[in-house]
Amino acid sequence: MNAGETERRPWIVGVSGASGTPYAAAVLRALLAAGESVDLVVSRASRLTLLDETGISFRDAHWQDDLREWLGRGADGKPGTFAADVDAVRHWSAGDLAAGPSSGSYPSKGMLIVPASTACVAGVALGLSKDLLQRAASVVLKERRRLVVAVRETPLNGQTLRHLVTLDDAGATVLPASPAFYAGATHIQDLVDFVAGRVLDAAGVGHTLYRRWEGELGGGSRTT
């Protein structure tokens, strides 16, 4: 790095195989809109989910085109809903265990796993590091950086609950993908954006994705 250059410190975003790829898209769009750099890890299982939920095949060789198409879609699947500039994104293959985020010396602000499957939760809680997503999360925990785990599953059995407690004890923020209705949601995108906004709240990243509670009953039901 040349003198005077600012060190790139991205947010690592891991996308696991749980249903909920619109949550990941909303988080990615908001991070980029906030001027943040992103390192993206899309697991093998999540590519199947993305194909099923959107019809998009996420390919390593064409990841920029595929990501741009993905982020351009609304939660209802309609193409061209959003404009997406992915220049600040760096993609790492989930099988690349020699990638930057696999090392604690690689600079990052932390990691957001959106959505997080129960298999992903178990792998991170047990320190399995079977792929780059799990390894990057383990590195973030050991380096005492911020880790937000947006678990997307219901119901939760005792084993998964114990894994979530383990992550909480290790310093992660466990954030169930549970949309709220007080913000005056009128569209599926509003519900998705609420969860994405709560993820960014936990990461300390500013956004305008949802109407915040201001202590006034009925405030979310009025248009502004």
Side-chain angles (χ1 to χ4, degrees):
M1 184 170 64
N2 296 328
E5 287 187 2
T6 301
E7 183 181 63
R8 181 178 182 272
R9 295 186 65 85
W11 283 101
I12 303 167
V13 176
V15 186
S16 82
S19 176
T21 55
Y23 292 130
V27 166
L28 287 165
R29 284 193 299 265
L31 284 172
L32 296 173
E36 300 285 348
S37 296
V38 172
D39 276 19
L40 178 63
V41 181
V42 181
S43 77
R44 291 179 62 185
S46 70
R47 297 176 193 222
L48 297 177
T49 306
L50 182 63
L51 179 62
D52 183 56
E53 294 185 345
T54 70
I56 297 171
S57 296
F58 193 89
R59 305 158 295 175
D60 286 342
H62 304 280
W63 69 267
Q64 286 179 310
D65 291 336
D66 297 337
L67 178 62
R68 193 176 291 109
E69 182 181 359
W70 177 21
L71 299 191
R73 297 194 179 206
D76 59 2
K78 183 179 179 181
T81 302
F82 300 99
D85 182 351
V86 300
D87 288 345
V89 179
R90 183 172 186 178
H91 168 255
W92 300 96
S93 173
D96 185 3
L97 291 177
S102 68
S103 172
S105 66
Y106 183 80
S108 77
K109 293 183 177 180
M111 183 171 185
L112 316 175
I113 305 179
V114 188
S117 66
T118 55
C120 173
V121 166
V124 177
L126 297 173
L128 298 183
S129 295
K130 74 170 187 176
D131 61 8
L132 179 59
L133 195 159
Q134 292 184 12
R135 172 58 186 170
S138 295
V139 167
V140 165
L141 286 177
K142 81 180 182 67
E143 297 295 327
R144 300 296 190 265
R145 297 170 188 163
R146 200 168 299 192
L147 175 64
V148 182
V149 180
V151 60
R152 216 303 306 158
E153 185 60 271
T154 189
L156 297 172
N157 63 27
Q159 187 176 48
T160 298
L161 290 169
R162 285 187 286 273
H163 288 152
L164 292 173
V165 170
T166 297
L167 291 178
D168 179 78
D169 289 343
T173 297
V174 175
L175 195 150
S178 302
F181 295 85
Y182 62 77
T186 58
H187 190 276
I188 186 175
Q189 188 67 53
D190 298 326
L191 299 176
V192 168
D193 284 348
F194 180 87
V195 172
R198 295 299 287 152
V199 170
L200 294 175
D201 287 345
V205 176
H207 66 88
T208 57
L209 286 175
Y210 68 88
R211 185 200 306 266
R212 296 184 181 277
W213 176 251
E214 296 180 348
E216 182 180 356
L217 292 176
S221 65
R222 294 194 296 271
T223 58
T224 57

